[in-house]
Amino acid sequence: MLEINQLKAAYGQVQVLHGIELKVPKGQVVTLIGSNGAGKTTTMRAISGMLKPTGGTIKLGGRSIAGLPAYRIARIGLAHSPEGRRVFPTQTVRDNLLLGAFTRLTFGGKRARGDIRGDLDRALDLFPRLRERQFQLAGTLSGGEQQMLAMARALMLNPDVLLLDEPSMGLAPILVEEVFHIIGRLKEQGMTMLLVEQFAAAALAVADYGYVLENGRIAVHGQAEQLRNDPKVRAAYLGIAH
Amino acid sequence: MDILLQLLMSGVALGMIYAVIAFGYQSTFATSGTLNFGQGEALMLGAMVGLSLSGDILGGPFVNYWLMVPLVLLFGALQGAVVEFVGVRPAIKTKSEFGWIMSTIALGIIFRNTAENLWGRDDLPFPSPLPTEPIHIFGANVLPMELMVVVGAILMMVLVEMFNRRSIYGKAVVATSSDRDAAGLMGINTGLVITFSYALSSMSAAFAGVLIAPITLTGASMGAVLGLKAFAVAIIGGLTSGLGVIVGGILLGVAETTTGFYLSTGYKDVPGLVLLLLVLAVKPSGLFGKTTIKKV
């Protein structure tokens, strides 16, 4: 579904990604792990168009999307729940969710309308806390609730591929568990996902396949199962001595 | 007492004009962090085009005042879109911090010169669509046109606010104002939203132009001072607060009319500008300006 070849990206003069190769097959969960500064978030930003890649190709369902502005990539069917949540603080939870469905609600959005009311309901079922707070301003939510809103908002695009960047960042342990539980449920529903996570063990537990990013390059990749048992990965990223 | 009431009412009408123009400054500032310093000229163009359509200067009237207003609004929107496309877009694209200041001022001067050549340098009377006999309200004399200024200004701001709250496109404008990158991820063409905000900004200025023209005179130089004072209002009220520009506009308008009467018309601009300096010193974000809280 998502195919990335030789992806390069830079912030000004500083080259951050040195040719990433990555595949996310339809219906699978792929995780990207690595230490801080390895380029995980940059990879996500380059895919969704928040950052213009300096080289390489990105294909979404066969269509080339590298270099397109973010709004066009969203219209093709990629949703990105960005690092730091980035909810719209002055608007209600419900409005945030409707904005997630912008591409389906508008004439120029180009995505099939489908059952928006039903999807809104399903998103609120998935995150019951959001249902209680539907008419509250997003800026008044707690960090964990904002994270759930960011995920629910991305789902409202009805995406072909969902990018989740650090959905557990800054959350209380009980909420981290809840977030991973929800990712598991989305997987059961057949959602194609690319997941960036600091909790590598949990990410590899839910994922089908994993990539380990080091200094802007893919160092190791393999079936999630296989990576979980790889002594080097265990020592470096799972905090388990061998 | 009657005099004071009279001054208050005229001040409010003038203040609402400032508020409408200041509202335009807010609109572009919210979406792009930039301002159209040619707002005064957008107002002037609106008034001149309105006069050409419903006055007799070009062999008209072609349409009456009420049909002219929507045409002027359309013209204002197009003019604003041109300003954004020619003057602001390149500056935003190259992340130039100050390029837009000079380019919007430059476009304003070009518009004024063009207007001087098209319509001449003289001030022209604008035929009033309403009776020019004042109405007596609580002992004060109010021109029907002054009432229309207040009603029209409030109506416009309420309509825009409803658009922002109710329609998905309005929500997209608000989203672009709070986080442009995140709005892009929603599939919102934020560049187009910025163009739209410029169209809205010039449209409100043009609207202010056809509202105020029948009370004052119409001419190529009418916009400069109004644009500047409205900018002061936007700063006093806060560049982010809709209520702020109404309060700020009324404060400035009333300060002008009362000073003009009790002190001297020569000093009528002073109290408002002193207020501006005070606000800048004490509360730089404006009387109603918000500082947003960001959760980490």
Side-chain angles (χ1 to χ4, degrees), chain B residues 3 11 87 118-119 145 153 162-163 196 205 220 228 244 266 271 291:
Chain B
I3 291 287
L118 274 178
W119 290 292
M145 204 56 215
M162 269 172 55
F163 168 77
F196 170 80
L228 199 63
T291 34

Side-chain angles (χ1 to χ4, degrees), chain A residues 48 50 70-71 74-75 80 82 85-86 88-91 95 98-100 102-103 105-107 139-141 146 153, chain B residues 164-165 168-172 174-176 178-190 292-296:
Chain A
S48 71
M50 283 177 97
Y71 78 89
R75 288 171 184 192
H80 180 182
R85 310 183 275 262
R86 309 288 285 267
F88 303 114
T90 61
Q91 289 167 290
D95 280 354
L98 288 174
L99 282 162
F102 183 83
T103 53
L105 282 162
T106 54
F107 182 66
T140 66
L141 299 182
Q146 287 191 0
R153 186 181 63 175
Chain B
N164 282 348
R165 281 173 192 246
I168 185 70
Y169 293 99
K171 286 171 191 180
V174 178
T176 303
S178 39
D179 190 332
R180 210 191 302 170
D181 279 347
L185 291 180
M186 303 300 112
I188 298 165
N189 183 347
T190 52
T292 47
I293 301 157
K294 202 174 172 189
K295 280 209 173 69
V296 195

Side-chain angles (χ1 to χ4, degrees), chain B residues 4 34 70 95 101-102 147 178 180 291-292:
Chain B
L4 183 61
T34 63
K95 299 208 159 60
I101 298 180
M102 209 47 238
L147 285 180
S178 39
R180 210 191 302 170
T291 34
T292 47

Side-chain angles (χ1 to χ4, degrees), chain B residues 2-287:
Chain B
D2 288 353
I3 291 287
L4 183 61
L5 195 64
Q6 176 86 56
L7 294 171
L8 284 178
M9 288 194 175
S10 308
V12 167
L14 183 62
M16 290 313 283
I17 290 290
Y18 293 152
V20 171
I21 313 170
F23 179 79
Y25 282 118
Q26 291 187 328
S27 139
T28 62
F29 186 74
T31 56
S32 65
T34 63
L35 300 159
N36 180 5
F37 283 110
Q39 274 289 80
E41 275 61 42
L43 175 146
M44 175 274 294
L45 283 179
M48 294 309 294
V49 169
L51 183 59
S52 306
L53 285 172
S54 66
D56 55 5
I57 51 169
L58 295 185
F62 302 105
V63 291
N64 70 27
Y65 184 88
W66 311 107
L67 280 175
M68 172 273 285
V69 172
L71 293 175
V72 165
L73 293 183
L74 187 67
F75 169 82
L78 287 175
Q79 188 259 346
V82 168
V83 169
E84 194 274 342
F85 199 75
V86 176
V88 183
R89 185 164 292 221
I92 292 180
K93 200 164 263 173
T94 55
K95 299 208 159 60
S96 153
E97 284 216 44
F98 305 110
W100 54 269
I101 298 180
M102 209 47 238
S103 57
T104 57
I105 292 175
L107 281 167
I109 295 172
I110 292 171
F111 286 131
R112 193 189 317 172
N113 287 345
T114 311
E116 281 170 354
N117 285 307
L118 274 178
W119 290 292
R121 287 163 179 272
D122 297 329
D123 282 337
L124 303 161
F126 196 112
S128 175
L130 296 176
T132 45
E133 282 297 302
I135 323 170
H136 300 280
I137 302 176
F138 306 118
N141 292 325
V142 181
L143 289 174
M145 204 56 215
E146 287 180 323
L147 285 180
M148 201 185 94
V149 164
V150 176
V151 172
I154 292 174
L155 189 69
M156 190 206 82
M157 289 190 249
V158 167
L159 283 178
V160 172
E161 189 61 23
M162 269 172 55
F163 168 77
N164 282 348
R165 281 173 192 246
R166 296 292 165 90
S167 83
I168 185 70
Y169 293 99
K171 286 171 191 180
V173 173
V174 178
T176 303
S177 308
S178 39
D179 190 332
R180 210 191 302 170
D181 279 347
L185 291 180
M186 303 300 112
I188 298 165
N189 183 347
T190 52
L192 199 61
V193 171
I194 292 172
T195 309
F196 170 80
S197 71
Y198 266 81
L200 181 65
S201 165
S202 282
M203 193 172 95
S204 29
F207 184 51
V210 291
L211 281 182
I212 199 174
I215 305 177
T216 59
L217 290 168
T218 312
S221 57
M222 73 184 290
V225 174
L226 285 169
L228 199 63
K229 286 189 183 162
F231 186 58
V233 164
I235 301 293
I236 291 171
L239 269 168
T240 51
S241 164
L243 183 64
V245 290
I246 296 180
V247 175
I250 290 174
L251 274 178
L252 195 67
V254 170
E256 275 183 30
T257 53
T258 49
T259 318
F261 182 80
Y262 290 114
L263 203 59
S264 147
T265 46
Y267 281 117
K268 74 181 171 66
D269 295 338
V270 173
L273 296 175
V274 168
L275 181 67
L276 169 73
L277 294 174
L278 275 177
V279 167
L280 281 176
V282 178
K283 199 167 179 295
S285 58
L287 292 177

Side-chain angles (χ1 to χ4, degrees), chain A residues 67-81:
Chain A
L68 292 181
Y71 78 89
R72 291 190 54 193
I73 295 175
R75 288 171 184 192
I76 293 169
L78 182 133
H80 180 182
S81 167

